[in-house]
Amino acid sequence: MSPESKRIKVFTLISLVYGLVSLFCGIFMVSALGEQTPVGAAEAGGGVVSFVLGIRGSLLANVPNKAGGLMRLSGVLLLVQVALIAAVVVLVGPAAAQAHAPALALMCAGAVVTLVVFCLSRALHRRNLAK
């Protein structure tokens, strides 16, 4: 396995763990804390998106020739995560969104991990095309 594939594998596994943590935090926010539903639902949705990236990405990272598929998958999932963050800010309002800063920070962390997977898979895909 090439060093680039190893890096992608590590970040997809980070995404997998993050997805589980974020999913449970979102469910906990809605059920136990009685937080506003859009914030908890978006948190849980972001967790599902990161979990999907972690599972599919860790399988695709084993084969360097499938970097293009991983690039497309992570790009779509990045757009979904950014849309979830924007939906929370719009639905809750900018002033109330500051009260939910930890949840938004957790969602942004997931988007950053997805962006890193996208960039690494894009670099590996371009390197494969150059051969």
Side-chain angles (χ1 to χ4, degrees):
M1 185 180 283
S2 67
E4 293 90 0
S5 295
K6 287 180 185 178
R7 278 189 221 111
I8 292 171
K9 183 85 163 183
V10 167
F11 276 101
T12 55
L13 291 176
I14 289 171
S15 178
L16 178 75
V17 172
Y18 164 79
L20 286 175
V21 169
S22 182
L23 177 65
F24 290 127
C25 286
I27 292 170
F28 180 73
M29 285 173 64
V30 171
S31 64
L33 295 179
E35 289 286 328
Q36 292 180 345
T37 304
V39 178
E43 184 73 39
V48 169
V49 167
S50 293
F51 185 72
V52 167
L53 176 65
I55 291 202
R56 290 291 300 151
S58 63
L59 294 174
L60 291 174
N62 292 332
V63 182
N65 291 335
K66 298 207 176 189
L70 180 58
M71 180 183 69
R72 286 186 289 279
L73 174 70
S74 60
V76 168
L77 294 179
L78 178 64
L79 291 175
V80 169
Q81 285 186 328
V82 170
L84 285 172
I85 293 168
V88 167
V89 173
V90 169
L91 290 175
V92 176
Q98 290 179 353
H100 300 290
L104 287 172
L106 191 61
M107 291 173 70
C108 289
V112 168
V113 171
T114 306
L115 179 64
V116 169
V117 171
F118 175 77
C119 291
L120 289 173
S121 60
R122 183 172 188 259
L124 182 60
H125 180 66
R126 294 185 101 189
R127 191 188 69 145
N128 288 340
L129 289 177
K131 287 184 179 180

